[in-house]
Amino acid sequence: ICRQLLSISSGINAEYGGDDIAVFEPGARHTWMEMKGMYVANPVAMVLSSAFMLKHIMLHEAGDNLITAVKAVLRKRTCLTGDLGGNAKTRDMTTAILKELDSRN
């Protein structure tokens, strides 16, 4: 469970720049050099970081739509990376999120 939570957590780090600067990043960064080229990384944290950035720059609807698309893919459980119990590659899960996003527009 902890591994799953780390793989989908993301955040905003506003500690460094004050009120005018924010850094959006996945909650967990791993180098995993032994995994290089295997395309097994879970893209959810990076996608959610992007959604939070959109909301931060006042594109609330776009950010909310992206979050909703991620939630839908996770809820369906048909295209998940290995850390979430599936066997999808990074590109597969990213494509599923984008298709879900497109279906809502």
Side-chain angles (χ1 to χ4, degrees):
I1 292 174
C2 290
R3 182 177 66 178
Q4 290 173 348
L5 289 175
L6 285 175
S7 66
I8 62 174
S9 65
S10 60
I12 303 168
N13 187 345
E15 177 180 336
Y16 299 110
D19 294 337
D20 295 333
I21 298 173
V23 176
F24 298 84
E25 58 187 358
R29 293 179 303 269
H30 304 284
T31 55
W32 288 358
M33 290 308 291
E34 68 274 10
M35 301 291 196
K36 185 177 179 179
M38 296 177 71
Y39 309 104
V40 295
N42 181 334
V44 170
M46 187 62 71
V47 173
L48 289 177
S49 293
S50 300
F52 296 150
M53 180 192 66
L54 289 168
K55 290 171 71 80
H56 181 75
I57 61 173
M58 302 305 178
L59 296 173
H60 296 286
E61 184 177 356
D64 289 339
N65 288 342
L66 196 48
I67 291 167
T68 300
V70 169
K71 287 180 179 180
V73 169
L74 292 173
R75 194 176 313 111
K76 289 178 183 177
R77 302 195 57 78
T78 57
C79 191
L80 301 176
T81 50
D83 60 315
L84 297 175
N87 59 4
K89 299 291 186 186
T90 305
R91 182 176 298 175
D92 301 329
M93 191 168 185
T94 303
T95 299
I97 293 168
L98 292 174
K99 284 182 179 179
E100 188 65 38
L101 186 62
D102 282 343
S103 75
R104 297 176 179 282
N105 293 325

